[in-house]
Amino acid sequence: MKRYYQSEMECAKVEAMRALQDERLVKTVKRVYDKVACYKNLMDSKGVSPDGIKSTADLHKLPFISKDALRDEYPYGFLAVPLSDVVRIHSTSGTTGRRVVAFYTQADIDLWEECCARALVAAGGSSDDVVHVSYGYGLFTGGSGMNGGSHKVGALTLPMSSGNTERQIQFMTDLGSTILCCTPSYAAYLAETIHNRGMRDRIKLKAGIFGAEAWSEEMRAELEKDLGLKAYDIYGLTEITGPGVSFECEEQAGMHVNEDHFIPEIIDPATGEVLPHGEKGELVITSISKTAFPLIRYRTRDICVLSRDECPCGRTLIKMSRLMGRTDDMLTIRGVNVFPSQIEAVLLKSGMTPNYQIIVDRVRHTDTLEVQVEMTPEMFSDTVKNISGMEKKLTAEMKSMLDISPKVTLMTPRSITRSEGKAVRVIDKRKGGA
Ligand code: DLL
């Protein structure tokens, strides 16, 4: 079976990849300087000229681009080709501000789909597979990206989109889906419904490609057990292209970044200083082969670690760790920093369900943290007498691992709304809303 989709890139010699990146970076910087007024202004104001960028070693000289800059230039400000060359747009959900719109030429779509095809092949996908795509289609990139990747691999592609869980399961069993692509929270919902319908034996899934939201190793173990598959992480963001910026291989130990298209850096989010490999910080990405919407040193706000350690899978592409949170989803509760995924890890380690919600508030000038988590039906009948004892035990486990004592509330089964896309895990009432 084919192990790589594009071995010449995925397994390139590190020096050869570096040379390709140098060449592509220099070209991209020249092009955006000439075509995109706000890049020119940004570079001019930092005193950097395109001639000063001769290789990736000069990357640090270039200014960062923030999401706010993209919002300010909405919709066409960062477009680097004539509109007549653009064939598609996608957009972020815009829940926390003005939408960001990303543009694609046909060449951009091709390279994006190739990145998704690499992820599918790394998860064991081939033309023999039935790829069940339950990421949303439309402005969200998840559905179309994985759909395109699946076509490139030549697999039978089920463009399910999210929602209508009954129909999802019917197609999954009738057509024998072998690879499931969706958010981890939706995979958990599908697993729960399959279990409740007693249909586990009729599922043929062998792999799941899960991303678009934070999830923990504990959640991976749960999904692998409940769905009988191997679960792979996949990362990406609309601004940079969509899913497939990086993907996991069979080692399941971090995601290989498609370095022929994207250069990753890790910076200290407070100072902007570039950090060495192995240090945790904010991921910054430069796209070096996109034509319509190339972004240079884009600050993702995602926190992770980069590693050049040799991977037994044979790929030489640098790896980024599982995401450790976002600079903007870190909760500061009475001075202690906590990420929602750490709370998830504690809950799942303690045998709770992945159905939880975190409620933060401020009462009489003091932050409060409540973790509501559903019990399984079995737990519910077993522990109904001792709910407060279990709540206390969970509070103690949180305290020992996270250094904070939340109020833990055990909820009855099926009382927390299920997600069909990205789950809403945190309700921070201090911000005046969800
Ligand atoms: O979520 C693209 C995507 C679709 C990725 C399908 C993977 C699979 P956006 O809606 O723009 O794009 O959201 C991007 O989602 O900055 C991360 O904070 C988060 N995210 C994406 N992948 C992961 C992951 C898509 N594997 C934002 N783990 C990113 C944790 C993820 N968070």
Side-chain angles (χ1 to χ4, degrees), residues 162-170 186 189-190 193-194 420:
S162 56
N164 202 336
T165 302
E166 296 297 331
R167 189 178 59 193
Q168 300 268 357
I169 295 171
Q170 188 183 346
Y186 192 47
Y189 181 22
L190 284 168
T193 314
I194 290 166
E420 296 176 344

Side-chain angles (χ1 to χ4, degrees), residues 67 110 208 222 282 331:
K67 192 159 187 162
D110 283 337
E222 194 108 328
E282 178 180 349
L331 298 166

Side-chain angles (χ1 to χ4, degrees), residues 135 140-141 212-214 233-238 302 323 326 422:
Y135 286 116
F140 180 56
T141 52
E213 64 182 6
D233 203 356
I234 184 166
Y235 170 77
L237 60 168
T238 316
D302 292 319
L323 254 57
R326 286 178 57 80
K422 297 189 192 228

Side-chain angles (χ1 to χ4, degrees), residues 214-231:
W215 57 309
S216 56
E217 274 308 314
E218 288 73 17
M219 178 79 131
R220 188 206 301 268
E222 194 108 328
L223 293 173
E224 294 195 331
K225 174 169 66 64
D226 293 347
L227 289 166
L229 47 69
K230 189 159 174 173

Side-chain angles (χ1 to χ4, degrees), residues 102-115:
F103 300 89
Y104 304 72
T105 61
Q106 186 56 51
D108 294 333
I109 292 202
D110 283 337
L111 81 81
W112 172 28
E113 293 181 348
E114 281 169 9
C115 290

Side-chain angles (χ1 to χ4, degrees), residues 22 84 95 183 191 214 249 253 293 421 429:
D22 289 345
S84 55
T95 47
T183 57
C249 62
F293 197 66
K429 296 185 176 164

